[in-house]
Amino acid sequence: MSSHQPGTRDATVGPVELFTELLDAVDELSGRIVDEILSGEQVYADATLTPEQLLEIVSTNVRCLLEMLVGAPESVDAARMAGRLKAEYGIPMASLLRAYRIAGLTLWEEMIARSAALGSSESLLRVSSHFWGIVDTFSSAAAETYREVVDEIDRRDQRARGVMLLSLLEGTAPTREAEELLRRLGLPILATYLVVAAELDGTGADPLPSIRSRLRAAGIPSTWTTWTGEHLGLLGCPSAADIPVAAGIIAAAATSRVGASRPFASVQTAKDAVRQAQLSMECVPPLSVGFHSYGSAPIDTLLAAQPSYASELRVNVLGPLSAAVDAEPLLDTLEAWFAADGSPAQAGIMLHCHRNTIGYRLGRIAELTGRNVSRPADAAVLYVALRSMRLTPESLGRGLGRYI
């Protein structure tokens, strides 16, 4: 029902005059709009935005909207202010847009009631598209600003969480401070922890898409940040039995090289775990996708930890072989032979050739390197050198890594 009491006004009053008249009733109209917003939205009762602040937002927007209807220059400053404040106070986007619908309907109903009393309903209908167009412009501007503010809040929150996580991973925080950081990051104080390092490729792509929600669905809380070119995560597994579950989820999500530390019980040792996760990541061949857990391949870990020595070993042991014309089939044969546990027949099946061919190539390897795979000490050196080649960029394009 309209609050307007019709009098003996001239029936020729047009929309502009009507809009001007409504400007004098902004306070009363805004109060009605606020009452309806509050009656249907529990979020306002739970938020720190007061009814007085909401009334100011509504009245400012209603006044600006009516002023534009009577010819004032277009301005969405009031709408942007509404979007910013509601985002900062945590009012949902849906509630923001609903408020504009309520305001638009309340004003339109009031206009219809007043124009009917004055006999100018037809002229009001002719400007209906203009009216609802302004309402739509206001709500769109408010929504755009809302998204901008929420994105900025998320970025600030992410930066803050990143700083807290790095403080934990340094392992230098006193026990009470570490416990407070864990609480603020949503991680349990008593848990089996795991550090994960994922390689960033420079494109900005997430190396572990949606990993936090995937882990959360399995009951495993985690927090993540970017540091020194890597995506680092700290997982708080409720029990040791959750470690293989977490590893499976991470391996399935990986889009780059990913490594995980050994499980640990105290965040005071997190710094060591970070190094373990980084070394584990280096145990995955370059430019490939894969997941590696610390301790699952000690030789690879040793080579990753000593890259200069690994390079020296590779050159000294496999250099003569790599320089040969038939280097690629020889390297493939050596790798297949190790993968087949020293069986020439099985290696031949892997390489689609006769076992005699395998024997010939192994003899050629012995001739070039001075090391015979039939001697355990020589075989060990060849194996370590081959692993070193697999874990370095120089191995790319040689077909290595297909069997081991």
Side-chain angles (χ1 to χ4, degrees):
M1 291 280 297
S2 168
S3 62
H4 175 67
Q5 299 298 321
T8 57
R9 301 270 312 274
D10 187 344
T12 62
V13 172
V16 173
E17 289 81 0
L18 179 58
F19 300 150
T20 302
E21 182 180 278
L22 286 177
L23 278 168
D24 296 330
V26 165
D27 291 342
E28 187 268 336
L29 290 169
S30 299
R32 286 163 50 191
I33 293 168
V34 168
D35 288 343
E36 187 166 350
I37 290 173
L38 294 177
S39 66
E41 295 281 359
Q42 179 63 31
V43 293
Y44 287 95
D46 297 335
T48 55
L49 181 70
T50 65
E52 292 75 20
Q53 289 173 308
L54 179 60
L55 178 60
E56 181 179 355
I57 294 171
V58 170
S59 61
T60 301
N61 276 261
V62 169
R63 185 175 300 280
C64 290
L65 187 150
L66 291 172
E67 287 175 348
M68 287 175 60
L69 286 171
V70 299
E74 181 174 323
S75 172
V76 292
D77 289 347
R80 292 192 177 280
M81 177 266 292
R84 182 178 65 258
L85 287 175
K86 292 197 175 183
E88 290 174 348
Y89 279 98
I91 304 298
M93 169 80 82
S95 299
L96 169 69
L97 297 177
R98 181 175 179 273
Y100 274 99
R101 288 195 297 272
I102 290 173
L105 288 171
T106 301
L107 290 175
W108 187 247
E109 289 173 357
E110 182 69 16
M111 292 174 188
I112 289 176
R114 293 191 181 217
S115 62
L118 298 172
S120 56
S121 298
E122 184 177 343
S123 61
L124 177 64
L125 291 176
R126 285 197 294 269
V127 298
S128 62
S129 61
H130 181 49
F131 169 80
W132 288 109
I134 293 177
V135 173
D136 182 63
T137 297
F138 272 48
S139 62
S140 296
E144 180 182 359
T145 301
Y146 184 100
R147 283 189 289 268
E148 292 172 355
V149 173
V150 168
D151 287 345
E152 178 56 31
I153 291 173
D154 287 344
R155 284 191 292 269
R156 289 201 305 264
D157 181 64
Q158 188 62 34
R159 287 194 293 268
R161 292 174 66 85
V163 170
M164 288 188 284
L165 175 56
L166 291 177
S167 296
L168 275 178
L169 295 181
E170 287 176 354
T172 57
T175 301
R176 288 189 179 181
E177 182 180 333
E179 291 178 354
E180 177 59 26
L181 288 172
L182 286 169
R183 276 192 290 266
R184 293 178 65 182
L185 289 169
L187 296 174
I189 294 175
L190 297 177
T192 300
Y193 299 105
L194 198 69
V195 170
V196 175
E199 185 177 48
L200 297 172
D201 61 9
T203 66
D206 189 344
L208 290 165
S210 306
I211 189 61
R212 190 176 180 187
S213 59
R214 293 188 191 192
L215 289 168
R216 186 170 58 244
I220 302 171
S222 65
T223 186
W224 301 81
T225 191
T226 299
W227 182 60
T228 63
E230 294 159 0
H231 196 51
L232 288 181
L234 178 62
L235 283 60
C237 299
S239 70
D242 294 301
I243 295 296
V245 175
I249 293 172
I250 293 168
T255 63
S256 69
R257 300 194 297 170
V258 181
S261 70
R262 281 200 179 103
F264 58 102
S266 171
V267 290
Q268 303 298 330
T269 62
K271 188 173 184 178
D272 292 337
V274 172
R275 180 58 178 155
Q276 292 173 5
Q278 292 171 328
L279 285 174
S280 297
M281 184 185 73
E282 296 293 335
C283 290
V284 181
L287 302 183
S288 63
V289 174
F291 173 76
H292 186 91
S293 292
Y294 187 83
S296 61
I299 289 177
D300 285 3
T301 303
L302 181 64
L303 293 170
Q306 299 291 336
S308 60
Y309 176 73
S311 177
E312 181 182 334
L313 175 68
R314 181 179 67 253
V315 172
N316 289 341
V317 176
L318 296 180
L321 190 154
S322 300
V325 175
D326 52 350
E328 186 166 344
L330 292 179
L331 288 168
D332 284 347
T333 297
L334 185 59
E335 189 166 17
W337 188 83
F338 282 120
D341 294 327
S343 168
Q346 187 61 36
I349 293 173
M350 291 179 177
L351 294 177
H352 308 289
C353 62
H354 196 274
R355 60 177 294 162
N356 290 343
T357 301
I358 299 297
Y360 167 78
R361 291 178 181 174
L362 291 175
R364 176 105 169 105
I365 290 169
E367 176 188 338
L368 291 169
T369 65
R371 290 179 170 83
N372 194 316
V373 295
S374 64
R375 292 195 291 266
D378 286 354
V381 173
L382 287 168
Y383 178 78
V384 174
L386 190 62
R387 295 299 288 180
S388 174
M389 179 171 279
R390 180 177 182 266
L391 296 176
T392 58
E394 289 89 340
S395 69
L396 301 178
R398 291 191 177 275
L400 297 178
R402 290 182 292 174
Y403 311 110
I404 297 180

